[in-house]
Amino acid sequence: MYKYNLFSKIVSIMVIMLIPITILYFYSNKTTTDVLRSELNLSNSNQLSFFQNQVETNMELLSSWPILLIHDPDIMSLKDTYLKNGYLNLDAINLIERIQTKISIQESSSNWKSKLYLYSPSIHRVVSESNANPYQDEDLRREVKSGWHVDKIEDQNGNRFLFSWFSFTPYKAEFSPKEANTIMKVEFDSRNIEDMLDKFKSGGRRDPFYYKQGTGLIFNHSADKVLANELVERLEQEKLKGSENRTIDIDGESYSVNIVYSDKMGWYLIDYIPLSEILKPIHTSNRLFYFSVSALLLMSCLVAYLLYVQVQVPVRNLVGGFQRLKQGDYSTRVEIKGKNEFSFLSGRFNSMVEQTQELIENVLMEKIHVREARLKQLQSQINPHFFYNCFSFITSMAKLDNMKAVVGMSHNLSRYYRYTTRQERDLVALSEEIEFVTHYLEIQTMRMSRLQYSVEIPPQMRKLDIPPLFLQPLVENAVLHGIEPIAEAGLVRITGSCRGRVMMLVVEDDGKGMTAAGIAELESKLNKAMDEEMGCGLWNVHQRMRLRFGEEAGLTFAASPLGGLKATLQWVLPFADN
């Protein structure tokens, strides 16, 4: 009941206190993580959008070059120049050189490496920074498309992409080389974008790349191409929906993926960051929190154990001592440990129990002496009672000149006298008491020839120790009050039985018997003080048995199957006699 009461209570209180703290921490941690991821995604998206705007600005700048150069006077005058015999004259050559100079100046005005080409239908040549070569109308017709056109180029370093933009005058919905006056093309390859991605990554980004479905990917120079391709495959499984944020798991690692779509380019700018890097500070904080909670719980258990050892164990020992003392164990002692308030209490408890035990032992000895004196007194009351009956019988037999009965009675009386004069003992063997009762029944048989008796006692019961002169009064009561008043009666039966520690001796007759009310009244008188109407024999036997064997021992009466009264003497053997 007390073993782990205090210890378990303290630990339970600490656990209950830590539960709301832990729940609040988890809620706060989740909120912090969500806010961090949201803010980080927003920051990444803004940075990607800014980078995308830079790329788009450069591409818009390049796409504006043809429009500006088309209106240049030298380029406009080229449309009125015609070849004679397929060769350029001096004026045409000078004009083309001035145009090439302007193209070179324009190309060098941008940080991106790009190329400008001027297609002149009048001289049927394409003019670049360093060349003026003929071209075919069919090839030009296939190349010219609206907006930015992308072609994949394979080289030893991998795939590259060539971006091109065409402008022509006059503008028509459907391009025709023969109807155009001037055609200009600007082109650049994806290495310009790769260089920008390298610079963007150097600012702390994680391998951003461009992707266009059906075209391919543009990486920075140190990109993890395998991981990027796998990310794209996972993204395509749910279809890309413009600018968005996703979390993708690859090989047990979660990645936060930010996507920005360019309407002008038609490409997706994709960046990814492992969530373990984002949440690393939070995970570190979580580990510190778990360590703190575990340490606090361990310290609580240690404090609870110290309180258990220093407080609960001594209190429990004292309570156990009081419980054993309450149950009558005055030999109990409390073990004294340490030097504190509880050791002082334990010492005072042991001293109190020792004094109480000495006092109770003294009282018990006095009680035993009183009890033994009372047993002697009760026993002395039975002897005269039996003598009176015997002398009365001898007198009657002498008047009747029945000398045989007088001799028999005298002989049995002498045997009885020897038995009673040796009763300085408190207990005798049951076999001796049965022999003594047999002498009494023999005397009564001489007086009443119709009297018959039987004794059936198990051999193991004959060895029991019982108070002397406690069976004879029952037999005498059966003879004098049961059989003698009824002429037809004449049987006395003495039987014994044992059930475990419960012993029973039964004396019954076929005589007068008693009514149920009479039996109840007789049993009631046995437990009261002896009065004049109550003979001392039965009362003496009942009281002596209770004094010797306890409150459960004594006499009970009932109707006998023989027709008379059945007297049952019952007692319980103590454990020591088993």
Side-chain angles (χ1 to χ4, degrees), residues 295-346:
L296 182 60
L297 188 58
L298 181 62
M299 291 174 63
S300 301
C301 293
L302 180 61
V303 171
Y305 178 75
L306 291 176
L307 288 175
Y308 167 74
V309 171
Q310 297 295 328
V311 177
Q312 187 176 1
V313 170
V315 171
R316 187 188 64 191
N317 291 338
L318 283 173
V319 172
F322 279 110
Q323 291 291 342
R324 293 190 295 272
L325 186 62
K326 180 180 178 182
Q327 295 170 2
D329 182 7
Y330 293 96
S331 63
T332 183
R333 297 292 185 272
V334 176
E335 184 179 1
I336 301 175
K337 293 182 179 180
K339 293 182 179 180
N340 51 34
E341 293 82 355
F342 290 103
S343 62
F344 176 79
L345 289 176
S346 299

Side-chain angles (χ1 to χ4, degrees), residues 514 517-527 534 538 557 565:
M514 296 181 69
I519 292 174
E521 183 180 0
L522 176 60
E523 290 182 344
S524 175
K525 290 181 178 181
L526 290 177
N527 295 311
M534 181 68 185
L538 298 180
F557 297 93
L565 185 66

Side-chain angles (χ1 to χ4, degrees), residues 558-577:
S560 171
L562 299 178
L565 185 66
K566 179 172 73 172
T568 302
L569 190 62
Q570 177 177 307
W571 71 97
V572 179
L573 294 178
F575 285 103
D577 293 336

Side-chain angles (χ1 to χ4, degrees), residues 159-426:
N159 294 330
R160 290 190 298 114
F161 298 94
L162 188 65
F163 292 77
S164 58
W165 177 282
F166 284 89
S167 294
F168 54 88
T169 60
Y171 177 78
K172 292 184 178 181
E174 186 175 349
F175 173 74
S176 174
K178 294 181 178 180
E179 297 178 357
N181 292 329
T182 305
I183 305 160
M184 288 206 70
K185 179 179 77 169
V186 61
E187 67 178 18
F188 66 91
D189 65 22
S190 58
R191 284 178 292 191
N192 293 292
I193 298 178
E194 291 174 4
D195 292 338
M196 288 193 70
L197 288 172
D198 287 338
K199 294 179 181 179
F200 189 43
K201 177 183 177 181
S202 66
R205 308 302 306 165
R206 293 282 305 184
D207 292 334
F209 61 90
Y210 273 98
Y211 167 70
K212 184 177 182 180
Q213 188 176 12
T215 301
L217 292 88
I218 301 175
F219 303 100
N220 61 69
H221 292 95
S222 60
D224 186 346
K225 297 181 180 180
V226 176
L227 178 59
N229 280 296
E230 192 166 356
L231 280 172
V232 169
E233 290 180 6
R234 296 290 183 90
L235 291 172
E236 284 295 342
Q237 290 177 1
E238 298 183 9
K239 301 297 181 183
L240 291 170
K241 302 176 182 179
S243 299
E244 59 177 314
N245 304 109
R246 293 189 191 178
T247 300
I248 297 177
D249 295 327
I250 297 178
D251 297 332
E253 180 72 61
S254 296
Y255 295 88
S256 176
V257 183
N258 300 97
I259 306 167
V260 175
Y261 180 70
S262 174
D263 294 326
K264 296 178 181 178
M265 294 176 59
W267 287 69
Y268 293 95
L269 177 59
I270 302 174
D271 186 25
Y272 61 93
I273 301 177
L275 285 177
S276 58
E277 290 189 7
I278 300 174
L279 303 177
K280 185 176 180 180
I282 296 178
H283 291 162
T284 302
S285 176
N286 288 345
R287 285 193 292 270
L288 289 174
F289 175 79
Y290 298 145
F291 175 77
S292 301
V293 169
S294 301
L296 182 60
L297 188 58
L298 181 62
M299 291 174 63
S300 301
C301 293
L302 180 61
V303 171
Y305 178 75
L306 291 176
L307 288 175
Y308 167 74
V309 171
Q310 297 295 328
V311 177
Q312 187 176 1
V313 170
V315 171
R316 187 188 64 191
N317 291 338
L318 283 173
V319 172
F322 279 110
Q323 291 291 342
R324 293 190 295 272
L325 186 62
K326 180 180 178 182
Q327 295 170 2
D329 182 7
Y330 293 96
S331 63
T332 183
R333 297 292 185 272
V334 176
E335 184 179 1
I336 301 175
K337 293 182 179 180
K339 293 182 179 180
N340 51 34
E341 293 82 355
F342 290 103
S343 62
F344 176 79
L345 289 176
S346 299
R348 299 288 77 75
F349 173 82
N350 291 340
S351 177
M352 178 194 70
V353 174
E354 185 176 356
Q355 293 177 7
T356 304
Q357 184 180 15
E358 292 178 359
L359 181 62
I360 289 177
E361 287 177 353
N362 292 335
V363 173
L364 182 60
M365 290 302 297
E366 293 297 328
K367 185 177 179 181
I368 291 174
H369 293 158
V370 172
R371 180 173 146 187
E372 293 297 329
R374 189 172 182 186
L375 282 172
K376 295 290 183 180
Q377 179 188 12
L378 291 173
Q379 181 177 325
S380 65
Q381 292 175 355
I382 292 177
N383 293 334
H385 178 79
F386 182 69
F387 277 125
Y388 299 154
N389 286 303
C390 289
F391 286 135
S392 177
F393 175 77
I394 291 173
T395 301
S396 299
M397 291 297 101
K399 290 178 180 180
L400 296 173
D401 293 328
N402 189 347
M403 298 307 296
K404 185 178 179 180
V406 172
V407 173
M409 174 62 75
S410 299
H411 172 74
N412 283 283
L413 188 59
S414 66
R415 298 289 297 272
Y416 166 79
Y417 187 73
R418 283 198 301 269
Y419 181 77
T420 55
T421 54
R422 291 187 296 109
Q423 293 313 314
E424 69 280 353
R425 299 172 295 173
D426 295 329

